[in-house]
Amino acid sequence: MAEASPKKKHSPTKGKLTTKSPSLSDSSGPANDAGMTMATSRVDNEGDEAADYQIVAAIDFGTTFSGYAYSFASNKQAIHVNKNWGQTQGFLLHKTPTCLLLKSDGQFEAFGFEAVSKYNELSEDEACSYYYFDRFKMKLYNNNQLTTDITISDANGKTQPAVDVFAHSLTFMKKHLLRAISTHLGYDPHPDTVRWVLTVPAIWDENAKQFMREAAHKGGLIEKTHSEQLVIALEPEAASLHCRNLPATDFVGYKDTALSKPTFEPGTKYLVVDAGGGTIDCVSHKIRKDGRIRELFRATGGAWGGTIIDRQFKNLLESIFGEEYMATFQKEFPKDFVELLQDFEIKKRGECESIRVSLPYNFCNYKHNGVSVQQAIKNFSAEKGSSDIKFSSGKLVMSSSQVNALFKDALDQINDHVESLLHKPKCKDLNNIFLVGGFAESTRLQSSMRERFGERVTILVPEEASLAVVKGAVAFGHDPSAICQRICRFTYGVGSYLPFEDGVHREDLRVDSDGMDLCKHIFQTWAEAGEVIGHNEIWRETYTPIINNQRGIIFEFFRSSKKKVQYTDEPGVEKCGFLVVEMPDLTGDRDRAVDLEVIFGGTEIKVVGYDHTSTTRHETYIDFLNA
């Protein structure tokens, strides 16, 4: 491990100065913990440092449906979306199903409505040789073991690398989007003129965000993984940017009515509830005097989206026909099983009180313990002493009360969570809730929230609630600094060494280095959980070698949900990445200096290491997938 020696401190950069005791690196080669501290500072950098782009193209990659939008730098407010998804299948929708069909060799076949259509047209034997994936985005949610090597199972139980599944999907969306832009312009735009924006839930972990960046690189959106040509946008934040500027007539219930117009002047607080297919994402914002937005508390939410209702529907089918029956049917007729769930997905979004789900031919002719499907439904209803479920003309008919039962768990969890947020002190004087996302278009969700909170706050649902995120993502791509202050989710820091202090440091961490008593595994904090962080705020610190001929330092980064952390080996502290800074030029030896710069406060964390002597710069995003 390489070692370091103290060096005279220099004047810190302008900004919030954090005084640190000297720290040094463990070493004989690059160090595991950071080297000698010279000076530390924090700087706010609210401007967007990225290059100007002529086009901003955003992809909203959803759990159940996906779409895109774009606008030109010459007219940022004119946001264009594709409203013709599924036209060859008889639809004209704003989004397409997040479904991918691959050939038997793993090569791309189709995505979206076309994937659903082609898969349903295959014979059972053909279907078993293809790969059909849907609702695979949730594989990334709350997955601590997430790496680029994980696999995803398709409808038949066969697997493919997850990053390939996402990459194929993003490639399709990219090509479709660029064709739309080319048609709009009359010529193909140069790839370098397009800034790409990918939306992700705000409650996603950092490793999931990085996974999407890796998939975008493999999918051809960007040439380098860490390219600033790609911006990660947090879904509720994007929706916030879109909704706060909408005219009152663009909200459900405000057109041609006498309802008071919502205003969003400086100082206004509001809550955004992004109700998607997989997750519910909540953020609370306040508008500053300069028109930019600050976060009041860190994003919260959970996996309470529309897919919970789908699981309830599956549970109902298993209650009627038995788990073994449903598992066997799915295995023998996978495309019919997909068709059944797709029909329920469409019907549950409707405004009808009752729902009639079409049962595929093979399902209707499948025997349940020797009895027909129709008789099995009759038997179930008789056992329950209820007429809430019936069979009619090849359809499973569910009464309004039965449908309400399917929705109950999801609605209760969403409302209970929103209730807890409204009780937060920072939500005092909050008057409005933006309800956005595909699930927000459900009249049952809208009604339940208005019934629970309508007397306290105004529930604002955009007319095209499912497009709020992707349209806002375009605005975010033009100006990522529009969200100027966020609340840090974790306490982040770098592993370091400090001179050992009796009675202060743990005795078991005492080490000797060239006659100096040191304490290893010091957690040198650059931001604390719950702390307000400015957009692209920069934390800087300078280190010097403590042994002769040191050729590099490895900076190891850690995080914890705890606010105060002293050591990197404490419970709840996890390593989340590293950066190697080489020091090939030995001129000056121990008088050399290396700067460590951490750029955070955005949607991702970037680190830079700079060796003064050799003038080499090492820049990366923290590697959350392989820490």
Side-chain angles (χ1 to χ4, degrees):
M1 237 1 130
E3 296 188 358
S5 64
K7 185 175 180 180
K8 184 178 179 181
K9 292 188 177 182
H10 61 66
S11 299
T13 318
K14 289 182 180 179
K16 291 183 284 185
L17 178 63
T18 306
T19 304
K20 301 282 186 182
S21 301
S23 64
L24 42 153
S25 64
D26 182 20
S27 42
S28 71
N32 271 345
D33 289 325
M36 168 64 81
T37 302
M38 288 177 60
T40 305
S41 64
R42 285 268 292 274
V43 181
D44 290 333
N45 179 23
E46 289 197 355
D48 181 20
E49 75 290 345
D52 292 330
Y53 294 92
Q54 297 176 19
I55 305 166
V56 170
I59 298 175
D60 180 11
F61 196 84
T63 300
T64 52
F65 286 88
S66 296
Y68 63 70
Y70 63 92
S71 74
F72 303 98
S74 57
N75 188 3
K76 299 175 183 177
Q77 285 68 42
I79 298 176
H80 309 277
V81 298
N82 177 32
K83 298 186 178 183
N84 300 316
W85 289 109
Q87 58 183 340
T88 57
Q89 289 80 30
F91 300 98
L92 286 176
L93 299 178
H94 299 163
K95 289 189 174 183
T96 192
T98 308
C99 301
L100 175 69
L101 183 65
L102 300 180
K103 298 175 183 177
S104 57
D105 61 356
Q107 296 302 303
F108 179 83
E109 176 67 24
F111 182 85
F113 280 111
E114 188 176 8
V116 176
S117 178
K118 285 191 174 184
Y119 187 64
N120 287 338
E121 291 171 359
L122 295 173
S123 68
E124 293 302 329
D125 290 340
E126 289 176 322
C128 290
S129 67
Y130 278 71
Y131 293 88
Y132 181 81
F133 299 92
D134 66 347
R135 306 186 184 196
F136 47 86
K137 180 181 176 183
M138 286 300 288
K139 180 78 172 182
L140 307 188
Y141 173 66
N142 206 22
N143 187 343
N144 292 329
Q145 282 72 49
L146 183 63
T147 70
T148 51
D149 297 326
I150 66 166
T151 59
I152 295 180
S153 299
D154 80 333
N156 296 309
K158 304 192 305 297
T159 62
Q160 281 283 307
V163 70
D164 289 347
V165 173
F166 280 84
H168 281 305
S169 304
L170 291 175
T171 299
F172 170 85
M173 295 295 287
K174 170 198 170 182
K175 290 180 178 178
H176 201 289
L177 202 163
L178 289 179
R179 283 198 300 270
I181 294 175
S182 298
T183 301
H184 190 119
L185 293 174
Y187 61 88
D188 294 337
H190 192 283
D192 293 343
T193 65
V194 181
R195 160 166 271 187
W196 294 97
V197 183
L198 272 183
T199 66
V200 303
I203 58 173
W204 265 16
D205 213 341
E206 300 295 339
N207 58 358
K209 297 177 190 176
Q210 183 183 335
F211 184 93
M212 290 301 291
R213 182 171 281 277
E214 298 279 354
H217 173 237
K218 194 163 188 177
L221 275 68
I222 48 178
E223 291 187 1
K224 297 180 179 179
T225 306
H226 304 311
S227 170
E228 292 185 353
Q229 190 175 358
L230 172 67
V231 174
I232 299 294
L234 306 183
E235 290 166 0
E237 287 188 353
S240 172
L241 293 177
H242 174 67
C243 289
R244 71 175 186 140
N245 293 320
L246 286 178
T249 53
D250 282 4
F251 291 104
V252 174
Y254 278 77
K255 188 171 291 185
D256 301 324
T257 69
L259 293 173
S260 60
K261 178 181 178 180
T263 58
F264 299 96
E265 302 299 324
T268 301
K269 297 178 182 179
Y270 55 86
L271 184 69
V272 180
V273 178
D274 178 18
T279 58
I280 303 298
D281 241 359
C282 302
V283 295
S284 183
H285 285 161
K286 181 178 181 178
I287 300 177
R288 300 198 323 180
K289 290 181 179 180
D290 61 3
R292 297 183 185 277
I293 295 172
R294 64 162 296 182
E295 194 174 40
L296 294 177
F297 50 81
R298 76 183 199 182
T300 62
W304 316 313
T307 51
I308 279 190
I309 301 160
D310 302 334
R311 285 200 296 272
Q312 295 287 8
F313 178 62
K314 289 180 183 178
N315 291 341
L316 176 63
L317 293 177
E318 289 176 354
S319 296
I320 298 172
F321 305 107
E323 291 184 22
E324 183 179 351
Y325 171 91
M326 292 305 303
T328 304
F329 179 81
Q330 180 179 358
K331 183 177 181 180
E332 294 187 13
F333 301 98
K335 69 183 189 68
D336 283 350
F337 184 77
V338 168
E339 181 183 341
L340 171 62
L341 297 184
Q342 284 286 345
D343 190 60
F344 175 74
E345 172 66 34
I346 294 171
K347 300 292 176 55
K348 81 177 185 187
R349 290 170 175 257
E351 297 185 7
C352 297
E353 287 296 309
S354 61
I355 288 181
R356 300 169 63 89
V357 180
S358 297
L359 299 177
Y361 173 82
N362 288 319
F363 192 92
C364 291
N365 285 277
Y366 215 61
K367 292 295 182 180
H368 170 68
N369 291 335
V371 301
S372 67
V373 166
Q374 181 177 3
Q375 188 61 47
I377 295 173
K378 286 183 178 181
N379 293 344
F380 177 80
S381 297
E383 290 175 10
K384 297 295 182 182
S386 168
S387 60
D388 287 334
I389 300 174
K390 299 178 181 179
F391 180 84
S392 176
S393 302
K395 291 180 171 60
L396 179 69
V397 183
M398 293 177 284
S399 69
S400 175
S401 60
Q402 179 61 53
V403 177
N404 289 339
L406 296 181
F407 274 73
K408 187 178 186 305
D409 281 354
L411 300 187
D412 285 350
Q413 290 183 82
I414 294 169
N415 287 332
D416 289 347
H417 187 69
V418 171
E419 184 75 61
S420 69
L421 298 181
L422 292 179
H423 280 92
K424 286 180 176 286
K426 290 184 179 179
C427 282
K428 184 181 179 181
D429 304 324
L430 185 150
N431 298 317
N432 298 287
I433 294 178
F434 289 128
L435 179 60
V436 301
F439 191 18
E441 295 180 346
S442 164
T443 55
R444 280 182 167 83
L445 175 56
Q446 295 176 22
S447 298
S448 72
M449 288 195 66
R450 288 197 170 103
E451 183 178 337
R452 180 86 170 258
F453 310 112
E455 294 184 0
R456 287 177 281 172
V457 296
T458 302
I459 308 295
L460 297 168
V461 185
E463 288 284 356
E464 297 177 335
S466 64
L467 294 179
V469 168
V470 73
K471 286 185 175 181
V474 174
F476 182 80
H478 283 295
D479 181 15
S481 67
I483 310 293
C484 65
Q485 291 177 312
R486 293 181 174 88
I487 305 299
C488 197
R489 290 188 66 191
F490 296 95
T491 296
Y492 290 99
V494 61
S496 186
Y497 280 65
L498 289 176
F500 191 88
E501 295 184 48
D502 290 318
V504 175
H505 294 136
R506 283 167 39 192
E507 186 64 34
D508 63 305
L509 299 181
R510 185 197 294 260
V511 294
D512 177 78
S513 177
D514 288 346
M516 294 180 64
D517 268 351
L518 308 177
C519 182
K520 63 181 179 178
H521 299 334
I522 294 293
F523 188 106
Q524 191 172 2
T525 302
W526 72 62
E528 290 183 347
E531 185 178 355
V532 178
I533 305 295
H535 172 73
N536 277 2
E537 189 165 322
I538 300 172
W539 179 92
R540 293 191 181 99
E541 187 148 349
T542 303
Y543 298 84
T544 58
I546 57 170
I547 64 167
N548 294 323
N549 301 322
Q550 183 170 326
R551 295 182 176 275
I553 300 176
I554 295 179
F555 294 97
E556 291 191 330
F557 306 107
F558 299 85
R559 73 176 185 186
S560 173
S561 57
K562 295 188 298 183
K563 190 176 182 66
K564 299 294 183 182
V565 183
Q566 187 173 3
Y567 303 107
T568 61
D569 63 351
E570 291 178 17
V573 177
E574 60 179 341
K575 181 182 172 184
C576 60
F578 64 92
L579 172 68
V580 178
V581 180
E582 297 176 353
M583 306 171 69
D585 190 342
L586 302 181
T587 304
D589 206 0
R590 297 191 189 185
D591 289 330
R592 292 172 296 157
V594 169
D595 286 345
L596 179 66
E597 183 174 282
V598 182
I599 305 165
F600 53 108
T603 56
E604 298 175 276
I605 301 173
K606 183 168 67 175
V607 292
V608 177
Y610 180 76
D611 176 20
H612 285 253
T613 308
S614 61
T615 65
T616 55
R617 180 182 175 92
H618 305 268
E619 182 175 318
T620 187
Y621 286 85
I622 296 179
D623 189 350
F624 289 97
L625 292 174
N626 299 297

